[in-house]
Amino acid sequence: MDIDFDAPLDYLPRIKSYYVGLGYGKPYEWAKLDDVPFANLQKPLSAARIGIVTTASLFNPANGEQGPGAPYNGKAKFFTSYAEPIAPFPDVRVAHIAIDRAHTTASDTASYFPLAALLRLADARYIGSVSPNFYGLPTNRSQRVTTQTDCPKLLSLCQADAVDAVVMVPNCPVCHQSTALAAAHLEAAGIATVIMGCARDIIAYVGAPRLLFNDLPLGNGAGLPHDQPSQDLAAKLAVDLLVDATAPRTIKQSPLQWTGAANWKKDYSNIALLSKAEIARLRAEFDAVKQDAAKLKKAL
C-alpha cells in the first residue's frame, strides 16, 4: 500500500474497510449537512468568554483502566452531555474512544484537552476569559440522538454560562462527526465554534463552520503531547479562526508535525496489515467493548 505521508489521512475509506474486514457488514453511513450555519463572534477575542467542548470523559476509578496506554474501555463511556467546573483542574480521559493507540498514549491531557493553553491565553488577555465550566459531548453513533438530545442539552449548558464561543476537541472518528453536528446546532443559536481536529476528511464531509486541522494521530487534537509551545500555538490558531473565518466550512491547517514514527498514517485501522488471527482477536475485543457500553447505558 502506497501512503503519501505528507497528505492528510483519509479516515472515511480506511474505517469503512476496517469494519467491513472485521465482519460488520454494511458500512456506517456518515452524516452530511447540506447547510452549515455560521455565527460571527459578537465580541473582540479580548472580551470573549470561551468554553471547551470535549469528547473526553471524567475519570472514575470504578470504570477500570483509563490511564496512559490503556486499552479501549467501553466502561468509561458517557451518554449525556455534561458541564463540569474547570477548577480544580479536571481529570479527563479518552480510554473509551478510538484514539491512535499504536502511536500515542494519551499521557498528556493537554494534547486533547486545551484548558491550560486557553487559561494562558486568558492570563495574557488575548481572550477575555475561559468559561467556569467545560462541556462533555458523548461519542454517539446515532446521529438522531446526537442532534435531537445531545446537541440541545449542550446548547442549554453553554447558554447557561453565557459563553460567546466554544473550542471543540474531538478525539476519535465518530467524535469528529458529533462535534461537527454540535457545532451546527450551536452556531444556529448564535454561538461561534471552532473544532480542533485530526480527521480533516470527516469534518469536510459532515460540514462544520471552522476547523483547525492538526495533522497528528487521533488523540492529539490540541497539540503535540508534552510540548507546551505546540499546544499554545494550536490554541491561539484555533481562537484566531473564530475571528478570521468569514464563511462556513473554513479549514486551516496548523504547521504542527508529528515527531514520532512517520508510519502512523499507514498503521491506523489498516485491515490490510492484519493477520486472520489479529482480525479475530480485534473483533472479539470490539464486541466485548460494545457489550460493556450497552450494559452501562441500560443501567442509566
Side-chain angles (χ1 to χ4, degrees):
M1 175 183 291
D2 293 328
I3 299 292
D4 182 353
F5 292 104
D6 293 325
L9 172 58
D10 287 330
Y11 283 92
L12 292 175
R14 182 70 63 82
I15 293 166
K16 177 181 178 179
S17 62
Y18 181 74
Y19 284 102
V20 169
L22 290 183
Y24 285 108
K26 184 179 179 181
Y28 182 68
E29 294 185 11
W30 296 82
K32 188 175 181 65
L33 299 174
D34 294 326
D35 297 307
V36 178
F38 186 82
N40 290 306
L41 185 63
Q42 297 301 306
K43 296 180 179 179
L45 270 179
S46 59
R49 172 177 282 190
I50 310 294
I52 298 172
V53 174
T54 181
T55 57
S57 63
L58 285 167
F59 174 63
N60 182 343
N63 291 335
E65 188 177 356
Q66 298 156 72
Y72 192 16
N73 181 359
K75 295 178 181 178
K77 289 184 179 292
F78 64 99
F79 299 96
T80 185
S81 298
Y82 68 83
E84 290 289 335
I86 63 171
F89 202 96
D91 186 356
V92 292
R93 310 286 181 97
V94 290
H96 63 294
I97 43 185
I99 64 168
D100 185 342
R101 286 180 169 79
H103 291 277
T104 192
T105 63
S107 59
D108 182 11
T109 303
S111 68
Y112 58 84
F113 185 64
L115 176 56
L118 287 176
L119 288 172
R120 288 190 287 271
L121 287 177
D123 288 343
R125 298 184 180 179
Y126 196 80
I127 61 174
S129 63
V130 179
S131 175
N133 292 309
F134 72 97
Y135 313 96
L137 179 70
T139 304
N140 207 322
R141 290 174 63 87
S142 170
Q143 297 159 27
R144 178 186 59 80
V145 173
T146 297
T147 56
Q148 296 182 13
T149 302
D150 301 336
C151 291
K153 183 171 183 181
L154 176 66
L155 173 61
S156 67
L157 295 171
C158 292
Q159 289 175 327
D161 289 334
V163 300
D164 299 301
V166 296
V167 172
M168 316 180 88
V169 189
N171 295 288
C172 71
V174 176
C175 298
H176 282 72
Q177 173 179 265
S178 298
T179 53
L181 294 175
H185 195 86
L186 296 181
E187 298 259 350
I191 297 176
T193 69
V194 58
I195 296 172
M196 302 174 72
C198 299
R200 177 179 180 140
D201 69 318
I202 295 178
I203 295 297
Y205 182 86
V206 179
R210 305 168 187 83
L211 168 66
L212 176 71
F213 171 52
N214 288 311
D215 194 10
L216 306 171
L218 290 172
N220 300 283
L224 294 163
H226 308 291
D227 186 334
Q228 182 178 314
S230 78
Q231 296 159 8
D232 286 345
L233 175 62
K236 181 179 181 297
L237 290 174
V239 298
D240 283 347
L241 205 53
L242 290 168
V243 176
D244 295 342
T246 58
R249 305 181 189 272
T250 296
I251 297 177
K252 179 180 179 63
Q253 181 168 342
S254 83
L256 300 181
Q257 296 182 342
W258 186 239
T259 54
N263 62 343
W264 66 270
K265 292 180 181 179
K266 182 177 181 180
D267 291 344
Y268 184 80
S269 293
N270 193 338
I271 199 73
L273 301 180
L274 302 177
S275 67
K276 290 183 178 179
E278 289 172 319
I279 290 172
R281 176 183 59 80
L282 289 167
R283 170 64 189 254
E285 289 179 357
F286 193 77
D287 286 344
V289 168
K290 290 200 301 181
Q291 290 173 6
D292 287 339
K295 291 177 182 176
L296 179 62
K297 190 172 184 179
K298 186 176 180 180
L300 294 177

